[in-house]
Amino acid sequence: MTSFNSNGKLLITGEYLVLDGAKSLALPTKYNQNLTISTIQEQELVWESFTHTNERWLQVIFDLPRLRIISATFDANEDGGNDILAENLQNILLESKKMNPEFLTTKQGFYVKSTLTFPRNWGLGSSSTLINNIAQWAEVNAFDLQFNTFGGSAYDIACAQNNTPIVYRLLDGKPSVEATLKFDPSFKDKLYFVHLNKKQNSREGIAQYKKFKGNIDTLAGQVSALTKEFITCSTLSHFEVLMVEHEQIISSIIDQKPIQLRMFSDYFGKIKSLGAWGGDFILATGSEDTPKYFEDKGFSTIITYQDMIL
């Protein structure tokens, strides 16, 4: 049996602007996705995906070597009848095979089990961890596989591959990863990640971002400078100032009010969106009173920095 594992991700700075070369701080998470591959006698690829509670939510059987879908079942309640899941998986496997023609050419078949350690609606990278795991199995470049299938900046692939904080940027469309980063804030016990009870479609957020007609290069430069300050700042108060400044820049681009002004104006700390605005996790500074505040607002998933970040 062969096994691969990939880390989840959170983008602390540079949301949207990471697409246009901004230096962005990204953190791999303790939550991840595991892929195990066993050989079987039948010349088929039997794929099963499991939730963090070990419930199967997707099964797809492909013939080999053509990777035609023989059958597909999925959790219709969870996915709202989204029957393109099997086709998405098929596209990733076909692209992997295109990149490495030797992939899946053996006469034997395979049973593949993919297991998340976090809920799929958390937005921690269920797709990127899957792509990175398949890329390892197929022995292809995970960044190229991401660009050729789902697109985006691929910072999440960099998080999948690294166990420390990274600074990520696109230089002429090519990934640049600084993985020896020493980001370990002394005030991390005052940092919380709060889930907003819905998964944000990053493609929709990117589409809104692309409508901006201002000087993206200037703003990307400002965020790159802020990223450096986020990494080097030594006090919580300075960190909070940077959070607010970053929110103001992104707000001016996508024409949305920052999440704190929209939903948590009475909160005693500072709040910053992470990734596509409007869903997934936010970052909040606070105290031991933080969990109760958000729970009273109806948000029950509050995770400390220590429990979330590798």
Side-chain angles (χ1 to χ4, degrees):
M1 185 172 69
T2 306
S3 181
F4 301 102
N5 195 70
S6 295
N7 304 320
K9 50 74 181 180
L10 284 170
L11 189 64
I12 305 302
T13 69
E15 61 266 26
Y16 302 114
L17 287 165
V18 67
L19 294 164
D20 286 291
K23 288 186 176 182
S24 303
L25 173 62
L27 306 180
T29 69
K30 293 179 179 178
Y31 296 96
N32 53 52
Q33 184 164 192
N34 179 258
L35 193 74
T36 59
I37 302 106
S38 308
T39 57
I40 57 176
Q41 293 299 315
E42 298 81 8
Q43 199 164 7
E44 298 174 342
L45 193 164
V46 180
W47 183 288
E48 293 188 330
S49 294
F50 290 81
T51 67
H52 65 294
T53 56
N54 207 34
E55 297 176 30
R56 191 183 75 185
W57 63 271
L58 177 68
Q59 182 193 64
V60 188
I61 300 176
F62 303 91
D63 76 347
L64 291 175
R66 288 179 292 180
L67 286 171
R68 291 186 309 175
I69 297 173
I70 298 172
S71 68
T73 58
F74 52 89
D75 186 338
N77 291 328
E78 184 173 344
D79 291 290
N82 183 355
D83 55 1
I84 66 168
L85 295 166
E87 286 84 353
N88 285 341
L89 176 60
Q90 181 188 42
N91 288 338
I92 298 169
L93 293 170
L94 286 171
E95 183 63 33
S96 300
K97 192 169 176 60
K98 186 188 300 183
M99 295 169 66
N100 176 11
E102 298 300 313
F103 181 48
L104 299 175
T105 56
T106 60
K107 293 188 180 300
Q108 66 205 13
F110 300 94
Y111 170 72
V112 181
K113 180 179 180 181
S114 187
T115 307
L116 287 166
T117 66
F118 57 90
R120 292 173 58 223
N121 70 338
W122 274 13
L124 291 184
S126 54
S127 296
S128 56
T129 52
L130 173 67
I131 285 179
N132 192 64
N133 282 336
I134 290 176
Q136 292 179 84
W137 179 27
E139 298 182 345
V140 300
N141 184 292
F143 289 102
D144 290 340
L145 184 57
Q146 170 82 359
F147 291 139
N148 294 344
T149 52
F150 289 118
S153 71
Y155 85 88
D156 41 10
I157 296 295
C159 284
Q161 298 178 351
N162 287 281
N163 296 326
T164 60
I166 62 169
V167 167
Y168 181 86
R169 71 183 305 198
L170 288 173
L171 288 172
D172 298 321
K174 301 294 184 182
S176 171
V177 184
E178 181 186 340
T180 57
L181 190 61
K182 300 298 183 185
F183 178 73
D184 187 26
S186 59
F187 45 85
K188 61 187 176 185
D189 60 326
K190 302 292 194 295
L191 302 180
Y192 297 84
F193 298 100
V194 183
H195 194 257
L196 295 180
N197 297 338
K198 63 178 181 177
K199 189 169 176 18
Q200 183 67 10
N201 187 322
S202 58
R203 290 185 181 89
E204 293 177 2
I206 291 170
Q208 180 65 27
Y209 166 72
K210 291 296 185 182
K211 295 177 182 178
F212 182 69
K213 303 301 183 185
N215 191 324
I216 286 292
D217 289 342
T218 297
L219 295 172
Q222 292 175 6
V223 164
S224 293
L226 280 177
T227 293
K228 182 176 181 180
E229 285 196 70
F230 267 92
I231 295 166
T232 58
C233 80
S234 58
T235 66
L236 180 62
S237 59
H238 185 196
F239 194 83
E240 290 178 326
V241 169
L242 298 174
M243 289 171 65
V244 172
E245 187 173 347
H246 194 293
E247 289 285 273
Q248 290 171 343
I249 291 173
I250 304 302
S251 174
S252 71
I253 296 173
I254 63 172
D255 196 28
Q256 282 188 35
K257 285 186 177 180
I259 191 73
Q260 186 155 12
L261 295 180
R262 283 188 285 131
M263 296 178 61
F264 308 108
S265 59
D266 59 341
Y267 182 59
F268 52 85
K270 297 300 180 185
I271 296 172
K272 183 188 177 300
S273 291
L274 305 176
W277 282 28
D280 299 326
F281 280 95
I282 54 174
L283 171 65
T285 63
S287 66
E288 63 275 5
D289 296 323
T290 293
K292 184 178 187 310
Y293 171 87
F294 285 104
E295 286 167 0
D296 289 346
K297 296 281 187 178
F299 303 96
S300 58
T301 302
I302 303 109
I303 304 175
T304 65
Y305 185 97
Q306 294 95 321
D307 287 341
M308 176 70 85
I309 303 303
L310 270 177

